[in-house]
Amino acid sequence: MVDSTDPFILIVDDNATNLSVLSKTLKSANYKVRMAVDGEDALAMVAYAHPELILLDVQMPKMDGFEACRRLQANPATKGIPVIFMTALTDTENKIEGLSLGAVDYITKPFEAQEVLARVKIHWRLKQLTGTLEQRVAERTHDLQNAQLQLVQQEKLSTLGQLVAGVAHEINNPIACVVGNVNAVEDSINDLFSLIDLYRRQFPQPGAEITAELEKIELEYLREDLPNLIRAMKDGGDRIVSISKSLCTFSRAHSDQKQIFNIHEGIDSTILILRHRLKANNLRPAIEVITNYGDVPAINCFSDQLNQVFMNIIANAIDDLDAGCVGQTFAELETEPRRIMIFTEMSIDLSTVVIRIEDNGQGMSDSVKLRIFDYLFTTKEAGKGTGLGLAIARQIVEEKHGGKLSCISALGEGTKFVIELLIE
């Protein structure tokens, strides 16, 4: 039997039926349970309060289970939390990937209640006995240095807009329900607490049975905790609405036809999608993004592909700024803030929109700068770069749009990418 002071189990699944079944199963065994609907929601809840164990679905929108597990393991404060993956994928490759990311077990869907309870019980005991889990050092290895991956990457690029738009559409209905009802839930909870207080004043001696039940449900803890949960729900709902709007902007055009597009909206949506990588972490302060937009017109373009160009360049800038933090203390990094600066303007003859994306990172040597647009060339360590991002970015800008993508960089002086797009 789980004592009332024991931490909770976090269930993460985008399927409401699965959440309900698992919750009832675990509660029937006297486990405390909280639920999340995707990886980002789970990370937010873990940051608020650490669970004793996480049941984590693999396939979810926005952030899948593998990515959520990767971030949990990357954080020293959460890497000791046991993660059990839940998946309908039974092939060995997926299981190896999940276990290499730090998961302690797998539950195959459709799951059996007794199997779930047995696995949870085993790993709950292991967690209590060991205190912390052994560090997992197995990492995935990828063979990304071949022409087949190039084709896969290009196919992903061509369908990215449709995929992201579909995810945004699926988000809108459930989040509208949550956002629309959270205030009513808060009012109802306050009414219930007021009623309980009234009963206490009218019946100051409720009897042993009611007193025992109040202690069991930890009324005072609920009174303190529920408002925090409601605020978290409100903040989470507002954030999802904002992200959904950005996803729609990011992917609003189809890859097979050009549309009139506001470049600034595309850049802003890309920055929002990458916001989680810009935030401060235990290794460095936040990366500041400075935008200075000029008076430029909307252009006729493949907007989803241009957004992918922005994504590749800004993500590479973040990678370079992170790499430059190695060997420096947090205090030292605070004296020299990491920045990404984005400028837009018209060319002198007013025929071209010019976009400059600059960083104050490490910069590049001449030999590296000569090869950054080559297919399969990467300066990143194995498993962290394909060497395709900038090559495809140049292809989009120059072949698809008749523009120009160039790079200006020197060691110790940061890097600047210049995108020039003709106004049709």
Side-chain angles (χ1 to χ4, degrees), residues 286-344:
I287 296 173
E288 183 181 4
V289 177
I290 300 172
T291 57
N292 188 348
Y293 296 152
D295 184 13
V296 302
I299 65 171
N300 193 32
C301 64
F302 299 106
S303 68
D304 56 341
Q305 296 187 31
L306 283 184
N307 282 334
Q308 184 64 31
V309 173
F310 302 148
M311 178 75 74
N312 283 333
I313 294 176
I314 296 174
N316 280 342
I318 296 172
D319 289 338
D320 183 64
L321 291 171
D322 282 342
C325 294
V326 175
Q328 298 189 62
T329 66
F330 199 93
E332 289 173 337
L333 294 171
E334 286 183 314
T335 63
E336 299 180 3
R338 268 49 184 168
R339 294 190 179 95
I340 297 174
M341 295 147 285
I342 305 173
F343 306 88
T344 62

Side-chain angles (χ1 to χ4, degrees), residues 108-144:
T108 303
K109 296 180 180 180
F111 40 74
E112 295 291 337
Q114 293 306 312
E115 179 188 7
V116 173
L117 287 175
R119 292 180 186 272
V120 167
K121 183 177 180 180
I122 289 171
H123 292 291
W124 185 283
R125 284 181 176 178
L126 288 174
K127 178 67 165 57
Q128 291 175 321
L129 291 173
T130 60
T132 57
L133 298 175
E134 295 181 358
Q135 181 179 3
R136 288 149 178 102
V137 294
E139 297 178 354
R140 292 182 301 156
T141 57
H142 301 279
D143 183 12
L144 303 176

Side-chain angles (χ1 to χ4, degrees), residues 325-390:
C325 294
V326 175
Q328 298 189 62
T329 66
F330 199 93
E332 289 173 337
L333 294 171
E334 286 183 314
T335 63
E336 299 180 3
R338 268 49 184 168
R339 294 190 179 95
I340 297 174
M341 295 147 285
I342 305 173
F343 306 88
T344 62
E345 61 185 3
M346 295 294 297
S347 61
I348 296 177
D349 62 4
L350 303 181
S351 66
T352 304
V353 172
V354 181
I355 305 160
R356 291 182 286 121
I357 303 176
E358 308 176 17
D359 66 64
N360 61 345
Q362 303 174 101
M364 290 180 277
S365 65
D366 289 340
S367 60
V368 170
K369 187 170 59 175
L370 288 173
R371 299 189 61 192
I372 58 171
F373 294 113
D374 293 347
Y375 284 110
L376 304 180
F377 175 75
T378 178
T379 59
K380 299 174 185 177
E381 59 186 87
K384 291 190 176 180
T386 65
L388 291 173
L390 289 177

Side-chain angles (χ1 to χ4, degrees), residues 75 79 183 192 221 230 253 299 302:
N75 186 344
K79 67 183 301 181
N183 287 331
L192 288 174
Y221 169 76
I230 293 295
I299 65 171
F302 299 106

Side-chain angles (χ1 to χ4, degrees), residues 171-220:
I171 290 172
N172 286 338
N173 289 337
I175 195 57
C177 177
V178 172
V179 173
N181 288 289
V182 68
N183 287 331
V185 170
E186 184 176 29
D187 291 340
S188 297
I189 290 172
N190 290 332
D191 289 342
L192 288 174
F193 282 137
S194 296
L195 181 59
I196 291 172
D197 292 338
L198 180 60
Y199 266 90
R200 279 182 162 177
R201 290 193 296 271
Q202 295 293 327
F203 304 100
Q205 301 297 328
E209 185 176 356
I210 293 178
T211 299
E213 185 65 21
L214 289 173
E215 292 177 354
K216 181 180 178 180
I217 67 174
E218 296 181 291
L219 180 61
E220 296 307 319

